[in-house]
Amino acid sequence: MNEFETSDLLLPLPVMPSAENTFAHYTIVCRLPGVIERVIKDNDFPPAIVQQLESLVADLFEGWVRPLAEIEGPDIVAWESYLKPFEGKSWFDLPFYFAEAYFFRRLLEATDYFVPGIWQGIDPFGYQKRSSLEKSMDAIRAISSRFTALPEQQSYQTSITTLLQTALWGNQLDLSLWPLTGGDNTHRDLHQQQTHILIDNTYDILNYLNNIHGQRIDLIIDNASFELVCDFFLIDFLLSTQTANTVYLHLKAHPTFVSDAMSQDVFYTLEKLANDISENVGMLATRLQEYIASGRLICRDDFFWNAPLAFWEMPESLREELGKASLVLIKGDANYRGILGDRHWLFTTPLSDIANYFPTPFVALRTLKSEVATGLEPDQIEILSEQDPLWLTNGQWGVIQFVIPESYSQVRSQ
């Protein structure tokens, strides 16, 4: 699907980094140069690669959009088409999401990620991911112990509610925003968790899950390390309770946005957890490894998740694949921006009005880290703006939004 389809809605303008005093502008000016500084620090790159990375920083301010210079990359042809309308433009004249995706692809170009040699396939963010996971282990053990200690008579509804909130707040961790964090700062007491969820459709999700028991559930994964482990707890429950017969994980095809997860991050994390000192953590990993071995838990990567595209532009093959799921859980802020095309929708626009193009019912689990939002009440916006001026970008507020696209409902009713 390459055209936007929705109910009588016109596309608003995209978020642009050219607008000063915005998070998008701050990202190009401060965050992305900081990403490169950290990559140089964490990797023993030769002088030639360091120079290429430093040139990329200068390019952000003084350069122009150009095609990728590589010939080996498997996505070169796709990027040629993505970049053609923007060639010769300043980075600040690119749509924000496009600029970020292009930056991270250019970073891989600078580090010879696709070039045959010793740096081919080396994740420039690997050290940060591994370090973040290590710093998160105490928090992971605490969560695991808490879930294990829950009374057996706890209701299915209570368990799902707790696990959805754990998966939501795990999304606070983002190494592109806070590069030195582990999972120890992501915990709130239950009351604070509830009050910081701006939209909570958990009740509707529970009702829907009761009707799809034993079918396929997909997750579009966001970050590795702590957030991925929070997702593991939810995945383990879905599979062990037969809520899902099969779970598919949709992952990035190459490193991007610093902490975004690839298949290799899933396998590394499971191996790390399987050898942990905590028996509960080790058993969680072993169960998930067994689900992978038996074909009940399947990892799928796709270059679309790295592309600078809105979700309504996904290739038909991927759309058909997602359509096989009875439910898709969409994790994180960047994926949420993909749902919206990273455009300035009115904050009160229902998400269902925008996302009617999606091929199957979905849940968006997102902590707010960018200047887009939907589905809010006018009084919420006014109160938030007074209470927390950075509410759109500081990761302290979350949403659990559930959408059944009209097209899906119509097909099922036929």
Side-chain angles (χ1 to χ4, degrees), residues 216-219 246-250 296-298 300 321:
R216 168 175 161 177
I217 295 177
D218 288 18
L219 282 82
T246 311
V247 170
Y248 281 69
L249 306 184
H250 297 276
R296 293 190 65 199
L297 178 58
I298 298 169
R300 289 279 176 85
E321 183 63 33

Side-chain angles (χ1 to χ4, degrees), residues 197-216:
I197 299 177
L198 301 176
I199 302 168
D200 188 356
N201 296 149
T202 299
Y203 179 80
D204 296 324
I205 297 168
L206 287 166
N207 285 339
Y208 183 76
L209 288 174
N210 287 331
N211 295 319
I212 64 164
H213 208 73
Q215 299 185 38
R216 168 175 161 177

Side-chain angles (χ1 to χ4, degrees), residues 309-385:
L309 303 175
F311 276 20
W312 60 74
E313 297 175 283
M314 73 174 60
E316 190 59 31
S317 58
L318 181 57
R319 177 181 170 80
E320 290 176 359
E321 183 63 33
L322 291 173
K324 296 175 184 177
S326 296
L327 181 67
V328 176
L329 303 176
I330 304 176
K331 290 299 306 293
D333 190 79
N335 285 325
Y336 195 91
R337 291 163 65 191
I339 298 170
L340 306 184
D342 205 33
R343 290 174 177 268
H344 286 293
W345 301 95
L346 292 175
F347 292 165
T348 54
T349 306
L351 181 58
S352 56
D353 285 358
I354 301 168
N356 267 325
Y357 63 85
F358 205 77
T360 198
F362 70 88
V363 175
L365 297 169
R366 175 233 186 173
T367 57
L368 279 65
K369 304 170 193 168
S370 61
E371 292 158 325
V372 294
T374 63
L376 300 175
E377 299 295 332
D379 59 339
Q380 278 184 300
I381 300 166
E382 183 177 347
I383 292 170
L384 283 166
S385 298

Side-chain angles (χ1 to χ4, degrees), residues 137-150 229 232-233 236-237 269-270 272-289:
M137 288 310 302
D138 286 343
I140 290 167
R141 293 176 193 125
I143 294 173
S144 183
S145 296
R146 189 166 74 241
F147 285 149
T148 303
L150 291 174
V229 179
F232 283 167
F233 288 111
D236 180 51
F237 183 83
T269 304
L270 287 174
K272 174 76 174 175
L273 299 184
N275 293 288
D276 190 62
I277 58 174
S278 164
E279 181 180 1
N280 294 330
V281 171
M283 290 175 63
L284 167 71
T286 299
R287 287 193 300 272
L288 292 172
Q289 289 172 327

Side-chain angles (χ1 to χ4, degrees), residues 54-65 89-92:
E54 291 173 343
S55 295
L56 179 54
V57 175
D59 201 57
L60 288 169
F61 299 94
E62 304 166 3
W64 310 97
V65 174
K89 289 183 178 292
S90 159
W91 286 78
F92 293 92

Side-chain angles (χ1 to χ4, degrees), residues 83-99:
L83 290 166
K84 194 158 190 170
F86 301 106
E87 284 184 24
K89 289 183 178 292
S90 159
W91 286 78
F92 293 92
D93 293 327
L94 290 173
F96 179 37
Y97 189 79
F98 192 107

Side-chain angles (χ1 to χ4, degrees), residues 115-135:
V115 178
I118 62 171
W119 299 107
Q120 184 177 28
I122 300 298
D123 184 351
F125 314 117
Y127 176 82
Q128 291 186 63
K129 293 176 182 177
R130 294 188 296 272
S131 177
S132 176
L133 180 61
E134 188 63 42
K135 292 176 183 176

Side-chain angles (χ1 to χ4, degrees), residues 11-311:
L11 279 176
L13 293 173
V15 178
M16 298 292 292
S18 55
E20 296 188 15
N21 301 317
T22 64
F23 183 72
H25 185 84
Y26 166 76
T27 292
I28 302 297
V29 172
C30 297
R31 285 180 56 222
L32 299 188
V35 167
I36 291 181
E37 181 181 353
R38 185 65 191 266
V39 164
I40 293 173
K41 177 183 176 183
D42 289 341
N43 294 276
D44 188 23
F45 287 132
I49 288 182
V50 172
Q51 183 178 5
Q52 289 169 177
L53 287 166
E54 291 173 343
S55 295
L56 179 54
V57 175
D59 201 57
L60 288 169
F61 299 94
E62 304 166 3
W64 310 97
V65 174
R66 63 159 174 82
L68 298 174
E70 307 163 280
I71 59 173
E72 292 88 355
D75 56 350
I76 295 297
V77 173
W79 271 100
E80 284 180 357
S81 65
Y82 303 153
L83 290 166
K84 194 158 190 170
F86 301 106
E87 284 184 24
K89 289 183 178 292
S90 159
W91 286 78
F92 293 92
D93 293 327
L94 290 173
F96 179 37
Y97 189 79
F98 192 107
E100 285 193 290
Y102 178 51
F103 166 83
F104 283 102
R105 185 58 184 83
R106 285 279 302 274
L107 190 151
L108 293 190
E109 177 189 72
T111 60
D112 291 347
Y113 183 84
F114 289 112
V115 178
I118 62 171
W119 299 107
Q120 184 177 28
I122 300 298
D123 184 351
F125 314 117
Y127 176 82
Q128 291 186 63
K129 293 176 182 177
R130 294 188 296 272
S131 177
S132 176
L133 180 61
E134 188 63 42
K135 292 176 183 176
S136 300
M137 288 310 302
D138 286 343
I140 290 167
R141 293 176 193 125
I143 294 173
S144 183
S145 296
R146 189 166 74 241
F147 285 149
T148 303
L150 291 174
E152 291 187 6
Q153 66 270 26
Q154 175 171 287
S155 69
Y156 176 89
Q157 290 82 359
T158 301
S159 296
I160 283 287
T161 300
T162 302
L163 287 160
L164 285 173
Q165 291 189 10
T166 300
L168 166 66
W169 294 119
N171 179 242
Q172 282 187 302
L173 188 61
D174 187 326
L175 296 178
S176 71
L177 287 169
W178 305 288
L180 300 178
T181 56
D184 47 340
N185 293 323
T186 61
H187 286 43
R188 292 187 171 96
D189 61 47
L190 183 60
H191 174 72
Q192 193 175 18
Q193 282 187 345
Q194 294 286 354
T195 58
H196 279 245
I197 299 177
L198 301 176
I199 302 168
D200 188 356
N201 296 149
T202 299
Y203 179 80
D204 296 324
I205 297 168
L206 287 166
N207 285 339
Y208 183 76
L209 288 174
N210 287 331
N211 295 319
I212 64 164
H213 208 73
Q215 299 185 38
R216 168 175 161 177
I217 295 177
D218 288 18
L219 282 82
I220 301 175
I221 297 294
D222 189 24
N223 294 307
S225 305
F226 180 75
E227 179 177 355
L228 182 60
V229 179
C230 291
D231 297 339
F232 283 167
F233 288 111
L234 176 58
I235 293 162
D236 180 51
F237 183 83
L238 294 174
L239 289 169
S240 64
T241 59
Q242 294 291 327
T243 301
N245 180 58
T246 311
V247 170
Y248 281 69
L249 306 184
H250 297 276
L251 299 137
K252 301 299 192 298
H254 62 65
T256 194
F257 283 79
V258 182
S259 51
D260 281 22
M262 304 179 290
S263 293
Q264 68 190 50
D265 296 312
V266 172
F267 301 132
Y268 172 84
T269 304
L270 287 174
E271 183 178 353
K272 174 76 174 175
L273 299 184
N275 293 288
D276 190 62
I277 58 174
S278 164
E279 181 180 1
N280 294 330
V281 171
M283 290 175 63
L284 167 71
T286 299
R287 287 193 300 272
L288 292 172
Q289 289 172 327
E290 290 173 351
Y291 289 137
I292 290 174
S294 65
R296 293 190 65 199
L297 178 58
I298 298 169
C299 294
R300 289 279 176 85
D301 55 41
D302 196 292
F303 280 95
F304 173 77
W305 306 120
N306 298 85
L309 303 175
F311 276 20

